[in-house]
Amino acid sequence: MGGMRVLTTGGAGYIGSHTVLALIEAGHEPVILDNFSNSSPEAIRRVGELAGREIEFIKGDLLDVELVERVFAEGNFDAVIHFAGLKAVGESTAQPLRYYRTNIVSTLNLLDAMDTHGVRTLVFSSSATVYGTSGATRCVEDLPLGTTNPYGATKLHIEQILDDLAASDPTWHIAKLRYFNPVGAHESGRIGEDPRDIPNNLMPYVSQVAVGRREKLSVYGGDYPTADGTGVRDFIHVVDLAAGHVAALEALPRHPGARAWNLGTGEGNSVLEVVRAFERASGKDIPFDIVERRPGDVAELVADPGRARIELNWKAERGLEDVARDGWRWQSNNPFGYAEPGE
Ligand code: WQD
């Protein structure tokens, strides 16, 4: 597989930055397009430091149609990996129109420019949230899809758009990658998750308690039908997730049409298991209270990663101890993420 020139939208973000590094290490040439609304140019600088070379990037917004057209007119891309979008479940319930406009209209602008310029290989960042109403605890890709929040609905609608586009034109090759719970950080401790506000997700919150930025964790529910009563999820190390994107990109020439692949470990861990793993990795006590369940949460959601194993020749290599060790190294070396102290 020769090196591909890959436009990576949202490539300065948490998963995007790890994927850009993995693309370079696999001999590809990523170009980042990011509006930095939820990411930092510092992440790009550090990826360049780790990769040993400058990373080409464009500061811009996919809602700016003229800019998107110009990027493709000048870009000479072979493929696109599309991460850019809003992703906070709770926020999406409060601001549905903003989520639909940002996530769907920007994707339509991207697809138009790709089509105009004959770039029809796409890896799309989807989410296990599309299984939210299936009632399943172990998810295979052909489960009935449904979701409980506007953020998840944007992912579902975009998947449908991609299916219809591929059905209309067999020259499209599209991977819909359904992430389970991305966590951890690159082993260097130089890049990682840097949530803007109070973290919605478990791992960054635990991590901020360990480093002293938050006082204690609220465990949302201790009465689920699980081994210890707390929620169970499939926590996938972000470096494994990044490798899954490279594997999908390189497999796509063999997969015309639009096809979904789960990116998860296939193993479930509970909230309390995550807390204990982080205490071991950090040597810190993580105080917590068990409180009411969070509306919309399910008891358990774990991937069946069999299709990716067979068709992408990819599987997660890292477990919860690796996640906690690498996540702690990132957080303890960067207590305020990419921001300079006092910023
Ligand atoms: C995990 C578990 C919580 C925070 C969400 C999105 C999904 C994807 C990943 C984008 C649950 C519990 C959490 C806390 C807690 N995002 N929890 N205290 O809800 O599985 O998935 O993020 O694609 O689309 O839905 O992840 O990390 O929020 O929750 O007890 O402060 O941790 O109840 O059991 P979730 P999460």
Side-chain angles (χ1 to χ4, degrees), residues 91-330:
E91 184 183 60
S92 78
T93 304
Q95 303 173 30
L97 291 183
R98 176 170 170 244
Y99 267 69
Y100 282 109
R101 181 179 310 105
T102 302
N103 290 3
I104 295 177
V105 173
S106 63
T107 301
L108 291 173
N109 292 346
L110 175 68
L111 294 172
D112 276 339
M114 290 178 70
D115 201 31
T116 303
H117 294 276
V119 181
R120 298 195 183 93
T121 299
L122 171 68
V123 175
F124 172 61
S125 167
S126 191
S127 167
T129 200
V130 300
Y131 298 122
T133 57
S134 67
T137 52
R138 188 168 184 79
C139 302
V140 289
E141 288 86 352
D142 51 13
L143 272 177
L145 303 183
T147 180
T148 59
N149 59 80
Y151 158 75
T154 68
K155 294 297 185 182
L156 207 46
H157 290 312
I158 294 168
E159 286 206 12
Q160 185 64 61
I161 290 166
L162 297 175
D163 291 345
D164 293 344
L165 176 60
S168 76
D169 176 349
T171 64
W172 282 90
H173 295 242
I174 300 171
K176 303 176 291 183
L177 300 184
R178 294 174 183 160
Y179 311 159
F180 281 72
N181 290 66
V183 288
H186 186 264
E187 62 186 7
S188 64
R190 296 290 291 154
I191 56 176
E193 187 169 16
D194 181 17
R196 278 280 136 106
D197 310 314
I198 299 172
N200 300 297
N201 296 136
L202 175 68
M203 199 62 84
Y205 202 102
V206 167
S207 181
Q208 289 189 10
V209 170
V211 83
R213 279 183 66 183
R214 308 277 166 207
E215 194 189 325
K216 74 163 72 172
L217 170 72
S218 296
V219 174
Y220 298 142
D223 59 351
Y224 283 105
T226 61
D228 63 17
T230 65
V232 170
R233 295 291 185 277
D234 185 328
F235 295 100
I236 175 169
H237 196 294
V238 66
V239 172
D240 283 328
L241 190 63
H245 286 72
V246 177
L249 178 72
E250 294 179 349
L252 269 180
R254 302 194 300 276
H255 292 280
R259 190 164 176 78
W261 285 282
N262 289 335
L263 294 188
T265 67
E267 302 294 324
N269 285 113
S270 76
V271 174
L272 291 184
E273 285 174 330
V274 167
V275 171
R276 300 293 176 240
F278 226 90
E279 287 182 328
R280 286 192 294 277
S282 64
K284 307 280 185 182
D285 180 44
I286 311 272
F288 63 85
D289 286 333
I290 296 187
V291 300
E292 286 304 300
R293 295 182 179 189
R294 182 172 63 178
D297 276 356
V298 295
E300 187 166 347
L301 200 68
V302 172
D304 180 323
R307 180 187 283 186
R309 180 79 190 85
I310 295 163
E311 298 181 2
L312 304 183
N313 189 28
W314 169 90
K315 72 178 176 66
E317 308 288 346
R318 295 164 181 80
L320 191 58
E321 298 307 314
D322 303 308
V323 162
R325 183 196 63 233
D326 296 342
W328 174 242
R329 187 180 304 109
W330 153 254

